[in-house]
Amino acid sequence: MSTGLKAGRASTPWRPVAIYAVVAGLWIILSDVLLAGLVRGLGDFVQVQVLKGWLYVAATSVLLYALIRKDTAALRESEARHRASLESMADALFLVDSHGRIVEANKAVLTLFGLEAAGMPTELQRFIELLDIRHPDGSPVAWDALPSQRALKGETVREQELLARRSNGALLHISATASPVVTDMGQVPELAVVVLRDLTELKRLERMRDEFLSTAAHELRTPITTIKGYAQLLDRWTPGGHEPREGKAFRILNRQSDRLTQLVQELLEVSRLQLGRLALRRQRFELGELVADVLERMQGVSSRHRLVLHQEGPVFVDADRERIDQVLVNLFDNAIKYSPEGGDIEVRVASREGTGVVSIRDPGMGIPKERQGQLFERFYRAHAGLESDRGGMGIGLHLSEQIVQRHGGRIWFESEPGKGSTFSFSLALVQQAAQEHEHEARV
Ligand code: ADP
């Protein structure tokens, strides 16, 4: 299989052609002048001219042959280099043309899918069927959603995750990166280059890690609850109250075991989420009421902050109350934690374009601009290594994003370093309630 792609050598043929034309012209003129001087008779002159013509043809033929040979050798050498670099690539790579033909594929493709004996199909359709290519959730991939087809429309596809079946039946987790190959400026791509990476081992290790986290967090819950329980009992059993020092020790013990419980709970949740074991129990409720409830609980956490609620009207949603409670606790907790100077934390609950929106604004340290892009990534901590680092595991925001997204909602933030941040999320309004609310507003 060959695409006919050449490793273009940056040389122009005009220079040798011009030199050749000048030398040939000079040869014809000067040799004619010389012959006119040397050969006297017309018959002899014609014969010598014919001989000169033959010699000329022979010399140029030899020259032409040498040039063609040199060029073909250079072309072969460049093709061999191109093929060797393709074959030595660890990643599987293939090229697809706009007619759905696989025009080039390296050995790693065959090794990855166990196709060494059967060989590489030349049609993409056949290749897709043979490997039973699917989305990570197991649904089939539409033709236009294939990385190569997207690239042929000009898109650069980065690390699209897919499932594939190896020839021995094993399930592979792969990532595909595809780019359009445009040979002339401004033209539609004629080819797409697709690079595949095997993620199966990585996914297996990730799963092991999540299973471990889940088990560890589960196992840690019981001793922590016991420690907290006995600390409370000891607190109550002390006749005649505590010495101030003891009282302080019990308060610290209580607070720290609460913190530990929360951390373990977060770990458990994030591992459950990864393992697809986070189920939603939806019910209809008024979002503002829940926000007010969480706000009251969180107000006790810090005496340096004043939590202020603004709400225009009822906002009914159909959601998992416990999970949304968790999102709110995370956002309130961060708002307090990342504004160590204290101040007002303003919370707004409103309905906007068919959704209920909650926004929590803090007057804190904000998030450095260059670190804002990864904020919702698992275990990402934007202040890690900075003086303003407040500790933490970087789980809360990731968990909150996943919970909101599973409800079909959206979570976002705006942040100005040194001035504070506003974190918001939206959930679809319950249709009927939204209409009731609009009706009340009109009357
Ligand atoms: P944690 O707070 O436990 O580190 P989160 O997932 O809740 O984890 O937050 C991730 C990171 O986002 C934090 O480490 C912090 O750098 C940044 N962050 C979150 N909320 C705020 C906020 N309100 N103000 C400034 N930075 C924040």
Side-chain angles (χ1 to χ4, degrees), residues 110-353:
L110 303 179
T111 317
L112 177 61
F113 299 115
L115 296 174
E116 295 95 334
M120 184 75 185
T122 47
E123 298 295 322
L124 182 66
Q125 180 74 47
R126 173 89 194 99
F127 185 58
I128 300 302
E129 283 166 9
L130 197 69
L131 304 177
D132 190 20
I133 297 289
R134 287 176 183 269
H135 287 295
D137 64 3
S139 60
V141 185
W143 181 254
D144 285 342
L146 288 170
S148 58
Q149 302 316 103
R150 288 169 60 192
L152 280 166
K153 289 201 186 101
E155 193 185 336
T156 299
V157 183
R158 286 184 214 289
E159 313 209 335
Q160 182 178 348
E161 287 194 20
L162 296 165
L163 295 180
R165 233 346 102 226
R166 218 170 172 269
S167 62
N168 62 1
L171 193 66
L172 293 179
H173 211 114
I174 51 173
S175 104
T177 295
S179 327
V181 180
V182 183
T183 38
D184 281 315
M185 286 293 287
Q187 278 198 349
V188 276
E190 291 162 19
L191 294 167
V193 56
V194 184
V195 179
L196 301 176
R197 257 186 338 122
D198 186 1
L199 303 179
T200 316
E201 184 56 13
L202 194 72
K203 291 283 163 185
R204 192 183 68 82
L205 291 175
E206 272 184 9
R207 199 174 168 83
M208 264 175 71
R209 182 197 59 197
D210 293 328
E211 290 282 2
F212 168 75
L213 278 182
S214 172
T215 316
H218 202 264
E219 291 300 314
L220 281 170
R221 268 201 320 188
T222 318
I224 294 170
T225 317
T226 315
I227 292 170
K228 187 176 158 71
Y230 274 98
Q232 282 172 340
L233 272 181
L234 265 180
D235 190 14
R236 259 184 265 135
W237 283 346
T238 313
H242 293 294
E243 298 256 319
R245 266 195 323 185
E246 282 173 359
K248 191 177 170 205
F250 277 118
R251 274 197 304 281
I252 293 175
L253 208 57
N254 218 358
R255 220 178 28 239
Q256 292 303 327
S257 46
D258 279 345
R259 177 91 191 109
L260 207 55
T261 310
Q262 196 197 335
L263 289 177
V264 167
Q265 187 62 23
E266 279 186 1
L267 266 180
L268 192 62
E269 298 278 285
V270 84
S271 53
R272 268 195 200 141
L273 192 87
Q274 288 310 116
L275 297 167
R277 294 177 195 154
L278 194 99
L280 295 184
R281 272 191 299 249
R282 287 181 185 260
Q283 56 175 305
R284 193 185 133 155
F285 64 90
E286 204 278 305
L287 196 53
E289 268 172 32
L290 177 65
V291 175
D293 182 36
V294 178
L295 185 140
E296 206 182 307
R297 271 186 278 144
M298 297 302 290
Q299 183 62 77
V301 172
S302 164
S303 54
R304 309 179 72 180
H305 297 84
R306 195 165 63 114
L307 309 187
V308 191
L309 175 64
H310 306 274
Q311 183 171 11
E312 286 154 19
V315 173
F316 283 95
V317 292
D318 180 34
D320 186 325
R321 198 183 161 102
E322 228 176 281
R323 299 273 171 229
I324 300 301
D325 186 306
Q326 204 179 344
V327 172
L328 287 165
V329 170
N330 277 333
L331 298 184
F332 273 118
D333 202 34
N334 282 345
I336 293 171
K337 182 167 153 189
Y338 296 102
S339 46
E341 304 291 317
D344 281 2
I345 292 174
E346 300 204 45
V347 191
R348 272 169 215 286
V349 184
S351 47
R352 212 185 292 158
E353 293 162 4

Side-chain angles (χ1 to χ4, degrees), residues 334 337-338 362 367 375 380-383 393-397 421:
N334 282 345
K337 182 167 153 189
Y338 296 102
D362 68 64
I367 300 153
L375 211 67
Y380 186 74
R381 296 168 54 241
H383 295 87
M393 290 197 294
I395 290 180
L397 281 185
S421 315

